[in-house]
Amino acid sequence: MSAAPGSKGKVLLAYSGGLDTSCILVWLIEQGYEVLAYMANVGQEEDFEAAREKALAVGATKVFVEDLRRELVEELVIPTIQANAVYETVYLLGTSVARPVIARSQVKIAQQEGCTHVSHGCTGQGTDQVRFELAYYALAPKLQVIAPWRIPEFYQRFPGRNALLAYAAEKNIPVSQTPSKPWSTDENLFHISYEAGILEDPNVTPPKDMWKLTVDPEDAPNTPERITITFKEGKPVRVTNEADNTDLTDPLDLFLYLNTVARRNGVGRIDIVENRFIGIKSRGCYETPGGTILRAAHIDLEGLVLDREVRAYRDEHITPVFGKMMYNGLYFSPEGDLLTKMVPLTQTNVNGSVRVKLYKGSLTMEGRWSETETLYDMEQSSMDVQGDFEPIDSDGFIKIQSIRLKKWGAKFQN
């Protein structure tokens, strides 16, 4: 028997408009909760108005749609690029970077509306459940969390898609007639991910029509496209492309443009097996078009302008830890706070521009320069000009470096 709606409290549900969260919404009402629905616009291609109407139609008392795209780019994407952060050397953290802004906004609305609970539709096997809930608890320790896919009563009642479809039919929940893809996706303006279904076999080649954002590199234009990206303190501040008269300086606009130019040139695809935070290996395919360009250009510019020891320290002590922190959902944590404050300190001198060639899925850095940083000295580096560097000085440097090596090598002499 269903409990009276609202008798157990008020819950703000992270809602997508899909089958799972629509069924969760109705199930929560059935359990006795008043349900408010929350959707975050983080750049995914979504009909938010249709989703709003659907949530209201199936019982939500209020629906909130929040545009978080600028927050995502300025507060999460750009600092992640500044840190050159990745997870396990290849994953550009596309899903991970969006979770802090989504969770923060959900908590804010929940508090404003006097909610007793927040809820989400994450599975009990993935890392997203961890990311959302650690953020909830850090930002609002007294809020209670309902995770249906970890409640036996729920997941035993709905062991698969057919059970959800039957429940939707019973409760008059509108269901899209579009055939379900044999994989699941998560999308924001930084990337799209594909996992589960046929992709669970790591030896299955993704079908060509799976990739949504980028053109197949084999089908990309036969003519290279060239752009120039300018950075100030490690942040992209300008993108130009003479071929299409592009000249952008707004952070969100230039990032969206980088997505566009990367997509049409087939840039940004990866297919990997990663280690989830909870200990399960997972196969994932990702498209991160604009982010792939930005990270590569940023790394290239650092070679020109960043002090050797600062770069080495950052690469060893900040970059991998930042990536792991983001992947594991610990942005709102003492270490997350520390790392986000440390990254800008490494970027003071990352000022300059990089010329990038895009061609059939590949990126080539064709040149870089800085009008303010002077660590690179053409005369010192030249094989043809001596400049103010005396080659004889290298003699003493090598002798000092060889002292311990001579002692080590002497042990093996007869």
Side-chain angles (χ1 to χ4, degrees):
M1 179 180 294
S2 299
S7 62
K8 290 186 178 180
K10 186 187 294 187
V11 57
L12 183 63
L13 170 67
Y15 182 72
S16 70
L19 177 64
D20 286 31
T21 53
S22 294
C23 288
I24 289 172
L25 194 160
V26 175
W27 182 82
L28 287 169
I29 296 172
E30 196 177 67
Q31 300 305 302
Y33 296 96
E34 178 188 350
V35 182
L36 292 69
Y38 158 72
M39 290 179 286
N41 176 2
V42 285
Q44 69 272 41
E45 296 179 1
E46 181 77 63
D47 187 339
F48 292 102
E49 190 53 39
R52 178 198 297 273
E53 293 175 2
K54 183 175 181 179
L56 292 170
V58 299
T61 56
K62 289 185 180 180
V63 180
F64 301 87
V65 180
E66 300 295 306
D67 187 347
L68 306 178
R69 294 175 300 166
R70 185 169 296 278
E71 289 178 43
L72 174 57
V73 169
E74 295 181 353
E75 296 184 35
L76 275 300
V77 170
I78 289 177
T80 300
I81 295 296
Q82 288 179 298
N84 295 334
V86 291
Y87 179 67
E88 296 188 333
T89 74
V90 287
Y91 172 45
L92 271 64
L93 302 164
T95 298
S96 313
V97 297
R99 296 318 186 218
V101 293
I102 296 173
R104 182 175 62 191
S105 179
Q106 185 178 3
V107 166
K108 181 180 179 181
I109 294 171
Q111 292 174 324
Q112 289 175 349
E113 295 297 315
C115 292
T116 53
H117 300 72
V118 289
S119 184
H120 59 76
C122 302
T123 70
Q125 296 171 297
T127 306
D128 260 353
Q129 58 179 336
V130 181
R131 295 170 182 143
F132 278 115
E133 293 185 36
L134 292 183
Y136 297 154
Y137 291 129
L139 296 170
K142 293 183 179 180
L143 269 178
Q144 300 178 66
V145 178
I146 302 174
W149 286 113
R150 296 204 309 270
I151 299 173
E153 179 185 352
F154 184 87
Y155 66 71
Q156 290 172 4
R157 183 177 178 182
F158 304 110
R161 181 175 173 82
N162 288 337
L164 290 170
L165 288 169
Y167 182 73
E170 175 191 343
K171 300 295 182 180
N172 296 314
I173 300 171
V175 176
S176 171
Q177 297 302 307
T178 304
S180 176
K181 295 285 188 181
W183 51 76
S184 65
T185 64
D186 177 80
E187 183 180 5
N188 59 56
L189 58 77
F190 194 47
H191 93 148
I192 187 171
S193 65
Y194 311 88
E195 60 182 10
I198 63 171
L199 300 176
E200 289 177 352
D201 181 345
N203 197 33
V204 168
T205 301
K208 186 172 182 176
D209 65 352
M210 181 194 78
W211 303 101
K212 175 184 177 182
L213 301 183
T214 58
V215 66
D216 189 313
E218 295 179 1
D219 300 328
N222 293 322
T223 302
E225 189 163 8
R226 291 174 167 86
I227 61 175
T228 299
I229 305 174
T230 299
F231 294 86
K232 183 176 181 180
E233 296 184 350
K235 299 178 180 180
V237 295
R238 187 181 185 189
V239 172
T240 59
N241 183 345
E242 294 182 3
D244 62 8
N245 297 314
T246 293
D247 190 342
L248 298 169
T249 57
D250 177 78
L252 179 57
D253 290 343
L254 70 82
F255 190 82
L256 293 175
Y257 176 75
L258 288 174
N259 274 341
T260 298
V261 71
R263 290 173 68 165
R264 67 189 180 214
N265 286 282
V267 170
R269 295 183 179 185
I270 62 170
D271 179 347
I272 63 173
V273 175
E274 68 199 66
N275 290 291
R276 290 176 176 167
F277 189 19
I278 64 171
I280 298 173
K281 284 189 179 291
S282 172
R283 192 268 188 94
C285 299
Y286 302 96
E287 293 177 279
T288 316
T292 298
I293 296 176
L294 266 185
R295 183 173 186 271
H298 179 262
I299 290 173
D300 183 82
L301 179 62
E302 285 190 330
L304 180 72
V305 301
L306 195 58
D307 176 80
R308 181 185 72 178
E309 297 304 319
V310 171
R311 185 177 191 180
Y313 185 90
R314 191 277 318 276
D315 288 350
E316 182 176 354
H317 298 288
I318 299 177
T319 296
V321 183
F322 191 102
K324 187 176 180 180
M325 174 271 292
M326 289 298 304
Y327 185 86
N328 291 345
L330 291 164
Y331 181 78
F332 299 112
S333 68
E335 63 271 32
D337 185 55
L338 175 64
L339 288 164
T340 54
K341 290 175 179 175
M342 291 175 70
V343 169
L345 299 177
T346 71
Q347 298 295 292
T348 305
N349 299 319
V350 184
N351 306 302
S353 301
V354 181
R355 293 188 294 108
V356 186
K357 181 178 79 172
L358 301 88
Y359 182 64
K360 290 189 175 295
S362 69
L363 291 173
T364 304
M365 307 302 132
E366 294 193 317
R368 74 287 299 159
W369 75 94
S370 175
E371 296 177 353
T372 60
E373 309 307 315
T374 58
L375 287 179
Y376 182 85
D377 187 314
M378 288 181 62
E379 289 193 353
Q380 281 188 341
S381 302
S382 176
M383 296 294 184
D384 299 316
V385 179
Q386 182 171 315
D388 61 0
F389 178 79
E390 292 290 340
I392 194 172
D393 292 342
S394 294
D395 187 58
F397 177 80
I398 294 171
K399 286 179 179 178
I400 295 296
Q401 293 295 317
S402 71
I403 292 174
R404 66 184 184 90
L405 299 181
K406 289 180 178 179
K407 294 181 181 295
W408 177 78
K411 295 190 302 181
F412 304 101
Q413 302 302 313
N414 293 327

